Amino acid sequence: MNIGIIGAGNIGGTLGKIWASKGHTVIYGVRNPLTPKVQTILQETDHNATAMLVKEAAMRSDVIVLATPWEAVGEVVFQIVDLHGKILIDCTNPIKPNPEWPLAQGRSAAEEIANKLPGYRVVKAFNTLGAANLNDVIFGAIHADAFVCGDDLEAKKLTIQLAKEIGLEAVDVGTLRNAELLESLAKLWITLAYQQGIGPHIAFKLLQK
Ligand SMILES: NC(=O)c1ccc[n+]([C@@H]2O[C@H](COP(=O)([O-])OP(=O)(O)OC[C@H]3O[C@@H](n4cnc5c(N)ncnc54)[C@H](OP(=O)(O)O)[C@@H]3O)[C@@H](O)[C@H]2O)c1
């Protein structure tokens, strides 16, 4: 599958390297493909990964993964708005350094993105655990969970498949309306990891009897 990853940073670069190692073709969508940072990510990513400008990467991809800071989303959306029908996995969290949370309660980044991208099939996923954990998602004998929500069943199924390829177990959290919950879960993760001092090697797991 051609996976276009917009934002080749911590989370985008980590996801790209893992999925490339599973045989996918990764296309990073970036502002400047020639920067040393992008070239380094490319060297670290297997299977003929490439880097292109955002629009071109999105056009060539079967699925688009949005992995930029929230502040950049408006600019990215503007560039890809006319590519109707695409699946977009939103990994963003609408956060700035505390105490500023830019979205009011009851709103989510994923729904704002879906509203700005008519015809897109938007899924929220991969936002609830730190990027470094994706390289080793097993805690003891327990696989960390990927919490996934979205309105399109096919898009959600594909996202769950991509989560399983990382080694995560996937929890279907329902429609995109529930993205707010996943973004709150990310805030909890950040609070525990950094404000409570537990550190970033933590992940959430739904236990079930
Ligand atoms: N880090 C994590 O563990 C983690 C986990 C889950 C979710 N998230 C969320 O994922 C998003 C990315 O986080 P991150 O930690 O990966 O950030 P990061 O390391 O700072 O990487 C952000 C990437 O986005 C790119 N970017 C910025 N503005 C852009 C634009 N207008 N067009 C195209 N690319 C642009 C940056 O490229 P330049 O080099 O050109 O600036 C950089 O490659 C955030 O919303 C964050 O909340 C992060």
Side-chain angles (χ1 to χ4, degrees):
M1 187 189 317
N2 286 352
I3 304 177
I5 299 184
I6 302 179
N10 286 320
I11 192 83
T14 304
L15 288 170
K17 288 178 217 172
I18 297 172
W19 285 325
S21 76
K22 305 292 176 190
H24 296 292
T25 300
V26 169
I27 309 166
Y28 293 109
V30 297
R31 290 187 278 197
N32 180 354
L34 300 177
T35 63
K37 195 174 148 193
V38 172
Q39 291 300 311
T40 301
I41 292 277
L42 278 177
Q43 280 164 15
E44 293 170 354
T45 310
D46 299 339
H47 287 278
N48 303 320
T50 50
M52 301 173 190
L53 295 176
V54 168
K55 173 85 183 259
E56 200 180 348
M59 281 170 60
R60 290 173 186 239
S61 302
D62 302 309
V63 54
I64 299 167
V65 177
L66 184 53
T68 65
W70 170 243
E71 308 90 90
V73 163
E75 190 184 324
V76 170
V77 160
F78 178 74
Q79 293 175 73
I80 65 172
V81 67
D82 53 341
L83 305 178
H84 305 280
K86 292 271 184 187
I87 293 173
L88 182 141
I89 302 173
D90 169 34
C91 306
T92 67
N93 283 310
I95 53 167
K96 286 183 179 177
N98 277 336
E100 193 182 347
W101 305 110
L103 289 185
Q105 211 171 357
R107 295 170 65 201
S108 72
E111 288 171 291
E112 301 245 330
I113 290 164
N115 285 339
K116 288 178 182 161
L117 291 175
Y120 269 76
R121 296 178 282 164
V122 177
V123 177
K124 186 88 201 179
F126 308 119
N127 71 310
T128 59
L129 78 174
N133 293 302
L134 293 170
N135 291 312
D136 182 6
V137 296
I138 303 173
F139 293 72
I142 296 174
H143 289 243
D145 281 337
F147 297 90
V148 178
C149 71
D151 295 336
D152 184 277
L153 294 183
E154 189 194 345
K156 208 156 52 171
K157 194 172 156 193
L158 183 144
T159 306
I160 288 171
Q161 177 57 37
L162 288 172
K164 288 180 177 169
E165 290 181 22
I166 296 170
L168 294 161
E169 283 177 358
V171 179
D172 185 340
V173 187
T175 65
L176 202 64
R177 183 71 279 277
N178 293 332
E180 183 194 357
L181 303 177
L182 302 198
E183 292 168 18
S184 293
L185 200 56
K187 291 177 191 173
L188 177 60
W189 188 95
I190 293 164
T191 302
L192 293 172
Y194 298 116
Q195 286 165 18
Q196 294 304 108
I198 299 175
H201 301 295
I202 55 174
F204 294 117
K205 180 75 196 169
L206 181 69
L207 298 177
Q208 188 177 20
K209 281 189 180 175

